[in-house]
Amino acid sequence: KIQRVNGDAFSLPVLADFSVLSDMLKNTPELKRFADQTRIREARLQLARSTQSPDLEWRVGLRRLQADGDWGIVAGIVMPLGSQQRAEADIKIAQAEIDSVALERESAWYRLTANLLRQKLKLSKVVKIFCRACSVPKRLPSRRIAQAH
């Protein structure tokens, strides 16, 4: 069964401004994944900072000397040496990982923005060719024109 379709073949969609489209890029999954990676790296940084101060361990106990039947109290303290130097290295590594994620995100942002600009320019060229072919004014439709219809 053939149905009738109504519409204007010469009406073009309204193209959003580049700034609006680039703002929409901020919510893409490609960029949101970097937020998760940053949170993970920041947690690693906090863990590295927490190991900067040494954990003191202490032990207390009773010991019976079998030979004389005497009892004695035994106490000990364990303090790791060099934990601050090891922690400094871990902190620097964790900070470098955070910086790396930030650079990757920025790189992805520029890549997406460049792709968006390329696609917008291609679409503009197609619209201009279409307008020339159809004798429609050679400018892109604006919001005012779209609202008037």
Side-chain angles (χ1 to χ4, degrees), residues 52-127:
Q52 195 171 18
S53 59
D55 291 331
L56 295 177
E57 292 181 25
W58 57 276
R59 298 180 186 130
V60 177
L62 289 175
R63 181 174 290 169
R64 182 171 185 263
L65 300 173
Q66 214 44 30
D68 355 6
D70 289 336
W71 289 87
I73 295 177
V74 179
I77 295 176
V78 177
M79 183 176 89
L81 299 175
S83 61
Q84 186 154 0
Q85 288 83 5
R86 283 190 305 272
E88 288 295 326
D90 291 341
I91 289 170
K92 287 179 183 178
I93 290 170
Q95 188 61 53
E97 288 177 349
I98 290 172
D99 295 342
S100 172
V101 170
L103 289 174
E104 287 177 31
R105 184 195 182 288
E106 187 176 356
S107 173
W109 165 257
Y110 285 124
R111 206 171 34 255
L112 289 171
T113 303
N115 189 30
L116 174 65
L117 184 58
R118 271 192 303 274
Q119 298 306 320
K120 181 133 171 91
L121 290 174
K122 282 181 185 178
L123 184 59
S124 295
K125 287 179 184 178
V126 169
V127 167

Side-chain angles (χ1 to χ4, degrees), residues 7-13 130-131 133-137 141 149:
D8 183 5
F10 296 106
S11 85
L12 298 173
F130 177 77
C131 289
C134 299
S135 300
V136 176
H149 291 292

Side-chain angles (χ1 to χ4, degrees), residues 15-26 109 116 120:
L15 299 176
D17 292 334
F18 182 76
S19 61
V20 172
L21 294 174
S22 66
D23 285 342
M24 291 171 64
L25 283 179
K26 294 176 185 172
W109 165 257
L116 174 65
K120 181 133 171 91

